[in-house]
Amino acid sequence: MDEEPKVPPLRPLDDFLIGGARFGPPDFKNQEKWNNRVVQNLMYYQSNYFVSILVVVLLCFYLQPSTMLFGICLFSIASTYFVYAFRVRKNDMENFNKEHPLGYVAVVIFSTIIFLYMVPKMAFFMLSVLFPVLLMLIHASFRMRNFANKVQNKVEAVGLKKTLMGQALKMIFQDF
């Protein structure tokens, strides 16, 4: 029986960004230590990160609603097409490649041209989603953990794996 993901508490803005927040460059030479810092910060501040991403996306929706809707539609269509054509129908595409190699090259070129045509139209949507993710990773890299963060991560180590961020990190890093 799978448990529903738990929602961790929203950390105070003073702890997250201003006031008591301490920032410092990570040790780029020690990859393991840097990865640990990022993962621990992602887990500790995950609610703040999700709220930040949501605020930026909603702000972009407010500023450019038609562009965002168009970008979402194009992104969905492009993703569905590529998953369907090259994953779901992989065997059919391989047979088509063997039987009609020139036709297969034409399909791949046509698909690429359409995708490249759609990318600028999806740019605002993709930027509105990916820019906050970049800021989240920068914050997680440079935010130095405080004592409360370390204690909370140890106390909630088992429980945090059932949060959305814990599940996402587990999908990305299988050994997490």
Side-chain angles (χ1 to χ4, degrees):
M1 185 169 141
D2 252 349
E3 276 186 47
E4 287 291 319
K6 297 175 185 163
V7 179
L10 195 63
R11 307 297 176 189
L13 189 62
D14 187 51
D15 180 33
F16 178 62
L17 202 55
I18 56 176
R22 295 180 342 183
F23 292 91
D27 185 6
F28 295 109
K29 294 176 185 167
N30 189 344
Q31 189 76 27
E32 187 176 328
K33 198 172 182 182
W34 182 17
N35 287 345
N36 185 44
R37 178 193 255 188
V38 170
V39 167
Q40 295 303 320
N41 280 330
L42 287 174
M43 297 297 286
Y44 186 72
Y45 295 113
Q46 59 187 298
S47 294
N48 296 64
Y49 292 140
F50 287 132
V51 168
S52 301
I53 290 172
L54 184 68
V55 166
V56 170
V57 169
L58 289 176
L59 180 66
C60 290
F61 242 111
Y62 176 74
L63 295 175
Q64 297 284 328
S66 60
T67 306
M68 286 292 286
L69 285 174
F70 191 62
I72 289 171
C73 289
L74 286 178
F75 184 78
S76 300
I77 290 168
S79 299
T80 303
Y81 170 75
F82 280 105
V83 166
Y84 181 75
F86 296 105
R87 286 251 174 117
V88 175
R89 305 289 298 228
K90 184 178 181 187
N91 292 338
D92 293 340
M93 291 301 284
E94 288 173 354
N95 291 339
F96 184 70
N97 184 17
K98 289 176 188 170
E99 294 172 11
H100 310 287
L102 220 51
Y104 181 78
V105 170
V107 167
V108 170
I109 290 172
F110 180 71
S111 300
T112 305
I113 288 171
I114 288 182
F115 181 72
L116 291 175
Y117 175 75
M118 291 168 49
V119 165
K121 299 186 179 1
M122 292 186 294
F124 187 75
F125 164 70
M126 292 174 71
L127 186 64
S128 71
V129 172
L130 295 177
F131 185 67
V133 171
L134 174 67
L135 293 178
M136 177 180 73
L137 291 173
I138 290 171
H139 181 274
S141 289
F142 284 86
R143 175 69 171 93
M144 295 171 63
R145 294 176 20 198
N146 57 20
F147 183 71
N149 180 328
K150 291 177 184 179
V151 169
Q152 194 70 21
N153 278 332
K154 295 296 180 200
V155 170
E156 296 179 0
V158 176
L160 276 175
K161 304 247 183 197
K162 297 292 181 193
T163 63
L164 290 176
M165 184 71 75
Q167 291 176 346
L169 291 172
K170 194 172 189 176
M171 268 188 349
I172 294 169
F173 309 108
Q174 296 299 322
D175 60 343
F176 175 70

